[in-house]
Amino acid sequence: MDTLNCFHCGLEIIEAEEIVFEDKSFCCNGCKTVYEIFAINDMTCYYDFENSPGATPLDIQGKYDFLDNDQIVSKLLEFEEDQTAIVSLSIPHIHCSSCIWILENLQKLEKGITSSQVNFNQKKVRIVYDKNEVSFKSIVLLLSRIGYEPYISLENYETGTQNVDRSLTYKLGVAFFCFGNIMLLSFPEYFEVGEFWLDTYKPFFRGLIFVLSLPAFLYSASGYYVSAYKSIKSGLLNIDVPIALGIIVMFVRSVVDITFDYGAGFFDSLTGLIFFMLLGKSFQMKTYNFLSFERDFKSYFPIAITRIGEVNKEENIPVYEIIKGDRLLIRNQELIPVDGILMSESASIDYSFVTGEAIPVTKKSGDKIFAGGKQMGKVIEMQVLHSVSQSYLTQLWSNDIFQKTVEQKHKSSTDTISRYFTPLLLLIAFVSFVYWIFIDTKIAFTVFTAVLIVACPCALALTAPFTLGNILRIVGKQKFYLKNALVIEQLAAVDTIVFDKTGTITTNKKATITYKGQKINKNQLVLIKNGLRASNHPLSRMLYDFLPEAQTIIVDDFIEITGKGIQVTCNGVQIQMGSASFCDAKANEGTNATIKNTSVHIKIEGEYIGVYEFKNQYRDGLEHLFQDLSKKYELKVLSGDNEGERATLETILPRGTELVFNQKPDEKLEFIKRLQEAGKNVMMVGDGLNDAGALAQSNIGISISENVNVFSPACDGILEANEFQKLNYFLQLSQKSILVIKMSFGLSLLYNVVGLSFAVTGNLLPLVAAILMPLSTITIVSFVTIMSNYYAKKINRIVL
């Protein structure tokens, strides 16, 4: 008689307790209720991804009453501002595509939830919700009702500690103990000790060997059985299926051998096989941890922040040197890197990077402000509450809204090979077994097991991530920080490079500045300096540093108009600083010459005062870099400035470099878009703030960082300004990384072909196959590491 299983959770139903609803059988009212919730909200396609994907909801009455305490809830929240709150919850039951689908559609079940995003590897869901419409407790109860009860531990949230999973270490230890002792007890069989021993003690020792094999077979290898079962249940065949089958076949055959006295069995090989397989798995995990792509915030945020030191002295420090109690200066459009208390009178903060909502939030002195917000308007001061949070800032850069849709060619080819690898491997194993069974039964079982064990798609699957991961590490050490490994593939595909001029190919530190116009008195200099203090534009920063030290005064009003300039009010005096048109420079005699140069015009109380003229200093190695790049790439230079420096650039840059001036930010974006429509694969190199739109539109956007907090999550990489001349080196290295991937693919395929040819001919023992399998992984990891390091050094010698 067929067993009856619950439509929701898949558990076997006791006939007397069966609950039928809409012609579907459920094991309990809890499962029926979950189905009803999904049905009412038109979400029954949850069951289309996998049969019986759910879990039986548990009775949680009163369990989460502690979440009525606002102080406790505030400790659990990642972000809390006005009505918006964000929390990340650990969901142990996440196990399949159905789980991901339902957890990323929670807004359909609860209208107060804005969005939810699943991290499958960490078994976490990040939920953004409206506090006015739904409480944190209600969300937890909802998750529990649909079978996804979160794991909440206040201790973990307060201390940041994580439970370390040591199960693999325990399994490895048990397997080694069993393997070593079985080998020891098998010595008399190996060396065929006298007939008296064999006749007298053989049954005892074989029985003892059988008992010792059970912990390894049942416990140490259990992970392979579970993985294989879930794989078969989901309709896919992963690599653990043939491994589990090989272990089971070897165990059954060994039991038959000792039961009917056909031989000593293969318990030594079986436990050795499990031990070496687990050893290889442990090595893979340690290697993955070593080349973890979730790098620390020092790699993600090589930007500077302005700290106010003693005697109100401003100093630029790396963001990771911020400590609790520091006083920070945040300018217009700058990112707030840490949680803190607002010290200034008021602030207008845009949290769109965090919540997706672009409406600025007004804060008053003493209010808490959160990391990830962007200051809009005049300069503010804040006091730091916590040091920089790695997970929070890296999550900000990796937010889905800043991800670009890119075809991952190597990932798709790897997935295709992996999908067909296991079915093909099983076919080869069974065909080989059928062939050998008529020739030699012993060899048939050996061949069957060896084929299942020796072939491994792991080496194939590891080629791309390990190669790209190592390149990520190499370029990171040279101060080129990439969002993720995928960016390297994008770099290799680039055929057109667009450079911004100001702050990108020019340096902020070495410009020669001269003033032309009416004489500026001391009070006017104080007003100009304080007006510039809040701006992050490269020209503003250069002019601010150029002007003499002045008393810090409160700016009453600050407006920065992108592409034009800034308008501020200090002590009731209105000042305009920016382009010629913004300050009506054309209406004044004697300014025509300066209009054609890079300049900042000054207008005070409606009267044109004069102009600061910049003679830009171009970055070291610019001419050599452009000469090298022009051999392989189309080069363009965009600038928001006028054509005053066209002649200079034409002498520095190679012939054929397109120069486009008077470009506003939206025009830069349209320029990139037109190139893409013409079939170009475009890399944009800009300053990260004024070029945010163009960086986001381009296939790959690189932000140049020069001691200013101009980070934009829209960029794919951050290059420290003093490494600008190495840009060609990084591009060449990305192309070589693709070559390394192709070579390691070939090496992996060669290993599998040679290994299988030895196995099907009966020339490979299962134990040797178990040793070779992890060795293939070690070989691939060693190969890609050596080759990527080799190319890094070789290209460095040639290019630099």
Side-chain angles (χ1 to χ4, degrees), residues 56 83 94 182 349 386 412 452 465 479 518 558 560 564 571 595 694 720 749 756 769:
T56 305
Q83 74 273 19
I94 296 176
I182 288 174
I349 300 173
H386 309 288
S412 58
L452 291 174
K479 300 180 182 179
Q518 299 179 24
F558 178 95
E560 185 162 10
K564 293 186 177 180
N571 291 342
I595 289 171
E720 287 206 3
L749 288 170
L756 282 171

Side-chain angles (χ1 to χ4, degrees), residues 332-333 500 502-504 535-541 560-564 640 663-669 684 686-695 703 710-712:
N332 181 41
Q333 298 284 323
D500 175 52
T502 306
T504 301
S535 175
N536 229 328
H537 190 278
L539 294 179
S540 298
R541 304 310 314 141
E560 185 162 10
I561 304 170
T562 305
K564 293 186 177 180
Q663 294 290 293
K664 295 176 182 176
D666 58 331
E667 291 173 326
K668 291 180 183 180
L669 189 151
M684 173 72 189
D687 66 14
L689 178 63
N690 302 291
D691 304 317
L695 289 169
S703 173
V710 293
F711 169 74
S712 168

Side-chain angles (χ1 to χ4, degrees), residues 198 253 296 314 318 354 392 535 542 547 563 651 666 698 739 782:
L198 288 174
R253 183 192 166 191
D296 63 38
E314 296 174 13
V354 184
Y392 191 82
S535 175
M542 282 190 276
L547 294 175
T651 59
D666 58 331
S698 62
L739 177 62
S782 302

Side-chain angles (χ1 to χ4, degrees), residues 252-289:
V252 172
R253 183 192 166 191
S254 299
V255 171
V256 170
D257 279 357
I258 64 169
T259 302
F260 297 99
D261 201 19
Y262 294 153
F266 298 90
F267 291 113
D268 50 353
S269 299
L270 171 69
T271 50
L273 168 73
I274 294 169
F275 170 69
F276 285 113
M277 294 286 291
L278 291 174
L279 192 64
K281 193 173 184 179
S282 176
F283 171 79
Q284 281 184 12
M285 288 179 66
K286 287 185 182 298
T287 312
Y288 266 123
N289 290 336

Side-chain angles (χ1 to χ4, degrees), residues 212-493:
L212 279 170
S213 71
L214 290 176
F217 176 70
L218 297 175
Y219 172 66
S220 296
S222 59
Y224 294 108
Y225 310 142
V226 172
S227 176
Y229 171 73
K230 287 182 177 178
S231 171
I232 294 169
K233 188 181 175 185
S234 64
L236 298 171
L237 297 177
N238 64 15
I239 189 58
D240 289 335
V241 172
I243 292 174
L245 184 61
I247 291 171
I248 292 169
V249 167
M250 191 178 282
F251 179 78
V252 172
R253 183 192 166 191
S254 299
V255 171
V256 170
D257 279 357
I258 64 169
T259 302
F260 297 99
D261 201 19
Y262 294 153
F266 298 90
F267 291 113
D268 50 353
S269 299
L270 171 69
T271 50
L273 168 73
I274 294 169
F275 170 69
F276 285 113
M277 294 286 291
L278 291 174
L279 192 64
K281 193 173 184 179
S282 176
F283 171 79
Q284 281 184 12
M285 288 179 66
K286 287 185 182 298
T287 312
Y288 266 123
N289 290 336
F290 177 72
L291 287 177
S292 174
F293 305 150
E294 182 78 17
R295 296 154 294 156
D296 63 38
F297 58 86
K298 295 180 185 180
S299 297
Y300 274 107
F301 292 84
I303 51 179
I305 194 75
T306 303
R307 180 170 64 189
I308 301 174
E310 296 178 3
V311 202
N312 287 329
K313 183 181 178 181
E314 296 174 13
E315 57 178 341
N316 287 326
I317 60 166
V319 70
Y320 49 83
E321 288 186 9
I322 296 171
I323 59 173
K324 182 178 179 180
D326 278 352
R327 199 178 181 98
L328 305 181
L329 185 77
I330 310 294
R331 300 180 183 87
N332 181 41
Q333 298 284 323
E334 278 191 348
L335 200 69
I336 297 169
V338 289
D339 294 349
I341 299 296
L342 179 65
M343 307 303 290
S344 300
E345 183 181 355
S346 63
S348 181
I349 300 173
D350 176 1
Y351 283 112
S352 58
F353 286 169
V354 184
T355 65
E357 296 289 334
I359 302 170
V361 176
T362 301
K363 308 299 290 183
K364 291 187 168 30
S365 181
D367 287 349
K368 183 178 180 181
I369 52 179
F370 289 88
K374 187 169 65 173
Q375 164 60 7
M376 308 295 288
K378 61 185 180 182
V379 68
I380 62 169
E381 293 183 15
M382 61 173 285
Q383 187 161 2
V384 176
L385 285 177
H386 309 288
S387 57
V388 175
S389 166
Q390 170 185 345
S391 60
Y392 191 82
L393 291 181
T394 54
Q395 190 175 51
L396 175 65
W397 199 10
S398 302
N399 197 319
D400 275 357
I401 59 176
F402 304 116
Q403 300 300 323
K404 298 173 181 176
T405 304
V406 180
E407 181 187 358
Q408 295 176 258
K409 294 180 180 178
H410 297 101
K411 185 177 185 300
S412 58
S413 58
T414 302
D415 290 344
T416 302
I417 292 171
S418 299
R419 189 180 306 121
Y420 295 109
F421 188 93
T422 301
L424 183 63
L425 178 61
L426 291 170
L427 179 64
I428 293 172
F430 280 109
V431 169
S432 302
F433 179 77
V434 171
Y435 172 80
W436 281 103
I437 196 71
F438 296 107
I439 301 172
D440 189 315
T441 306
K442 186 175 180 180
I443 293 178
F445 277 100
T446 300
V447 166
F448 182 74
T449 310
V451 167
L452 291 174
I453 299 303
V454 74
C456 179
C458 301
L460 287 168
L462 291 174
T463 53
F466 274 87
T467 303
L468 298 177
N470 198 43
I471 295 293
L472 207 63
R473 182 181 59 82
I474 291 170
V475 299
K477 283 186 173 181
Q478 300 186 56
K479 300 180 182 179
F480 185 33
Y481 309 98
L482 302 178
K483 180 184 288 187
N484 51 44
L486 179 59
V487 177
I488 298 168
E489 287 191 58
Q490 294 171 263
L491 272 173

